Amino acid sequence: MKKSAIIAIGLIVVLGLIYIFLPSSKKSTDSLKPGEIGEVYFKFTDLPDGIMAKSGSFEVTEREVSLSPSMDAFLSKKKDVQFVLIYQQFVSRAKKPVKTLNLRFSKVSRSVSSLLNQYGVKLQGGTKIQFSSPNLSEAIAEVDSQKIYEKDIDYNNFIWGSLATEIFHFKLASVDKILKQKILKAEAQKLGVSEQKFREDHVYKRLIKKISKKDIDTYLKTYSMEDNDFNRRATRDRLLLDRKKRALDYILEKYLIKFPILVDVKKPNFSLEIKEEWTPRLGKGPLKITFLGGTREKASAEWLEKMIPVLGNSAEISFYYRPVFLASNKLQNTITQAHLCVWQTYPQKFWRYFQLTLGSLDKQTENKLYGALEKLNLKVEPIKKCLVNQSMQKVVQYHNDYANYLGIHLGPIVYVGGEVLHGRILAKDVKHILERQLGRPTGGLWKRD
């Protein structure tokens, strides 16, 4: 093997870029110098009206972001969620039956019954609903004779918090994409070439294009895809496209973007009620993270297993565990009561015990719960007594009742300082959000070297 190839491979390992070489030393990158280490990626600030982001002389306007087809879908979903919140707050929870609900909306995306059912809200049969109601003036709705204004709606709800987070993340991603497109176009124009030729000559030329069998196997397994010729070819193409995107991001973020990118995007502000004495906590930092869900599901257990050591090492974070599960899940109820009994009795050893009891405990559950105590040299009898007396049932009920009030019926859900994540929550995504919220000087994906 030639000496230059050995050096190149060494650079790849050091940088953690499994498949990207450093930029070619052609004319376009000769004069480029790496950005300063220690800069944050986004900095939130007020910008002039109509400007959503700014980096050096490059700007992204609100209009440019709003033109995305995805934004239309978000606006439609926003209307649906507002309707559900109004119905839940002013019809479902009304002290007496509501006869009419008039709304300023022209319509919702589908039938009222299916929409309410999706969000776990029960349809009240005696309430007549009218859309595009006249005479509402500035009101958003009217319940019998009571006008409802935007300020009257309780937006501190998981449904809204989740949507607000989706929109927030979409806007940040759009800003990033549009900004990179503008900078790439400007670089290509400097050389008098097309954007595609700039990519081919100065980004992709040294890209390692070979996709290994191991890469494909890992991808198929991660996304539970059938192992066949079609999926293997599609995966190879997908991974190569991903490598090209990462290579382009590397050049842009390391050499061309002026950091920090100034952004004027409103952050989500979802908040949770916390009863400190009833909610297991790790750390005492000002940034609050809360995991809501059970501990038996594989996805939840794996996330908790990866994140607890990270969160436990930070003086800037407080991590809370809040049990949320279906009332019919008796086994999770028993496990949760055991967790809370240990939290009350042996708080210093709780998180180690918690980690030892993650995942499926279907067989001989109580023996395994007590066995974990013995591994930590803790007395079993106080926990047995706590479980027999169901001393923590009231606490379990509190967490589940509050979750239901927020519109949460099942986890896993992660709250990170105002942002609400659900579905397939990856530990690496949460880490990136933490870095942004804490203003840690990461400087983007590729500036950590």
Side-chain angles (χ1 to χ4, degrees):
M1 185 179 287
K2 293 182 180 180
K3 185 177 179 181
S4 60
I6 295 171
I7 293 171
I9 291 170
L11 283 171
I12 295 168
V13 173
V14 171
L15 294 174
L17 305 173
I18 300 170
Y19 39 74
I20 300 174
F21 282 93
L22 288 175
S24 166
S25 58
K26 300 284 184 181
K27 179 181 176 184
S28 68
T29 52
D30 265 348
S31 60
L32 298 178
K33 295 180 180 179
E36 292 296 320
I37 302 300
E39 295 171 300
V40 296
Y41 200 89
F42 291 123
K43 180 180 178 183
F44 293 85
T45 185
D46 290 331
L47 293 173
D49 288 346
I51 304 299
M52 190 171 281
K54 183 177 175 62
S55 174
S57 60
F58 295 94
E59 294 180 343
V60 178
T61 67
E62 292 177 7
R63 176 173 168 72
E64 286 173 316
V65 173
S66 70
L67 289 174
S68 166
S70 298
M71 187 54 77
D72 290 336
F74 278 125
L75 292 175
S76 175
K77 190 174 181 181
K78 180 178 177 180
K79 191 184 297 180
D80 285 352
V81 170
Q82 280 184 317
F83 164 71
V84 171
L85 294 183
I86 290 168
Y87 192 93
Q88 183 181 54
Q89 186 177 346
F90 298 101
V91 178
S92 298
R93 294 176 183 165
K95 292 181 179 178
K96 61 180 182 178
V98 173
K99 294 179 181 179
T100 59
L101 171 61
N102 297 324
L103 296 139
R104 197 170 65 203
F105 308 142
S106 58
K107 60 180 181 178
V108 286
S109 65
R110 57 187 184 283
S111 72
V112 165
S113 58
S114 74
L115 186 60
L116 292 174
N117 185 59
Q118 177 190 343
Y119 292 103
V121 179
K122 187 177 179 181
L123 179 68
Q124 308 296 313
T127 303
K128 182 181 178 181
I129 300 174
Q130 180 180 335
F131 291 95
S132 297
S133 180
N135 305 320
L136 281 178
S137 185
E138 295 301 312
I140 196 168
E142 185 180 60
V143 177
D144 289 338
S145 59
Q146 178 192 2
K147 281 188 167 54
I148 308 299
Y149 296 90
E150 189 86 32
K151 63 180 177 60
D152 299 321
I153 303 172
D154 180 7
Y155 285 114
N156 197 48
N157 180 290
F158 162 69
I159 303 169
W160 185 263
S162 174
L163 176 61
T165 301
E166 284 185 63
I167 294 173
F168 175 69
H169 287 183
F170 168 76
K171 287 181 177 178
L172 291 185
S174 296
V175 160
D176 196 51
K177 181 180 178 181
I178 295 169
L179 191 63
K180 286 176 177 177
Q181 286 174 338
K182 289 186 174 187
I183 293 173
L184 177 63
K185 183 177 180 179
E187 267 320 285
Q189 286 177 343
K190 285 180 187 177
L191 297 175
V193 299
S194 68
E195 292 176 43
Q196 185 57 38
K197 185 163 179 58
F198 179 87
R199 286 189 179 97
E200 294 296 338
D201 289 352
H202 305 293
V203 181
Y204 303 152
K205 184 166 281 188
R206 289 189 173 184
L207 187 73
I208 299 175
K209 297 181 175 65
K210 183 178 179 181
I211 307 293
S212 71
K213 180 179 181 297
K214 184 179 179 182
D215 290 335
I216 295 172
D217 290 342
T218 300
Y219 187 92
L220 293 175
K221 184 178 179 181
T222 300
Y223 293 97
S224 303
M225 294 170 65
E226 185 180 343
D227 190 346
N228 56 43
D229 289 343
F230 177 82
N231 282 342
R232 294 189 80 83
R233 285 195 299 273
T235 297
R236 186 178 290 106
D237 292 343
R238 173 68 182 268
L239 290 175
L240 183 56
L241 282 173
D242 185 56
R243 289 183 180 186
K244 286 185 174 182
K245 181 183 182 303
R246 286 172 178 259
L248 185 60
D249 283 346
Y250 175 78
I251 297 294
L252 288 164
E253 294 179 14
K254 189 174 181 71
Y255 294 95
L256 301 174
I257 296 177
K258 180 176 174 57
F259 289 103
I261 300 170
L262 305 177
V263 290
D264 191 353
V265 181
K266 187 177 180 182
K267 302 178 189 179
N269 59 358
F270 183 74
S271 61
L272 292 170
E273 167 194 293
I274 297 289
K275 282 194 176 183
E276 297 283 349
E277 71 277 16
W278 281 5
T279 311
R281 182 180 74 175
L282 181 64
K284 295 183 179 180
L287 178 58
K288 293 183 178 180
I289 303 176
T290 304
F291 175 89
L292 301 101
T295 57
R296 294 178 59 222
E297 302 86 0
K298 184 180 178 182
S300 297
E302 287 179 352
W303 188 90
L304 288 163
E305 216 163 32
K306 288 178 181 177
M307 287 303 296
I308 286 173
V310 175
L311 300 170
N313 290 330
S314 175
E316 301 164 293
I317 295 166
S318 292
F319 174 69
Y320 295 88
Y321 166 63
R322 301 196 69 158
V324 176
F325 52 89
L326 296 175
S328 58
N329 194 338
K330 304 299 182 186
L331 182 54
Q332 182 65 70
N333 190 312
T334 299
I335 294 167
T336 302
Q337 286 195 60
H339 286 154
L340 293 168
C341 287
V342 173
W343 166 250
Q344 293 290 319
T345 311
Y346 305 116
Q348 299 302 319
K349 295 291 183 75
F350 170 76
W351 290 104
R352 184 70 191 114
Y353 176 81
F354 187 74
Q355 288 175 288
L356 288 174
T357 55
L358 287 174
S360 178
L361 296 174
D362 292 332
K363 296 179 180 179
Q364 298 182 326
T365 298
E366 290 195 18
N367 289 343
K368 289 183 179 179
L369 290 172
Y370 298 144
L373 290 167
E374 291 169 350
K375 281 184 182 179
L376 297 173
N377 297 316
L378 300 174
K379 293 180 180 178
V380 174
E381 285 309 312
I383 308 305
K384 277 188 178 180
K385 184 178 178 181
C386 180
L387 278 173
V388 169
N389 294 338
Q390 291 203 314
S391 304
M392 291 294 124
Q393 185 57 50
K394 183 179 177 182
V395 180
V396 172
Q397 196 62 47
Y398 154 74
H399 287 295
N400 275 294
D401 286 348
Y402 181 57
N404 287 333
Y405 175 79
L406 292 173
I408 298 171
H409 305 288
L410 202 59
I413 291 161
V414 179
Y415 159 78
V416 189
E419 298 175 46
V420 182
L421 311 175
H422 63 99
R424 188 168 180 267
I425 304 165
L426 300 179
K428 66 177 183 178
D429 294 335
V430 176
K431 288 177 185 176
H432 288 161
I433 293 170
L434 289 176
E435 287 166 347
R436 167 167 50 74
Q437 290 208 12
L438 291 169
R440 288 179 178 164
T442 59
L445 287 173
W446 308 116
K447 294 183 68 181
R448 293 174 186 170
D449 55 340

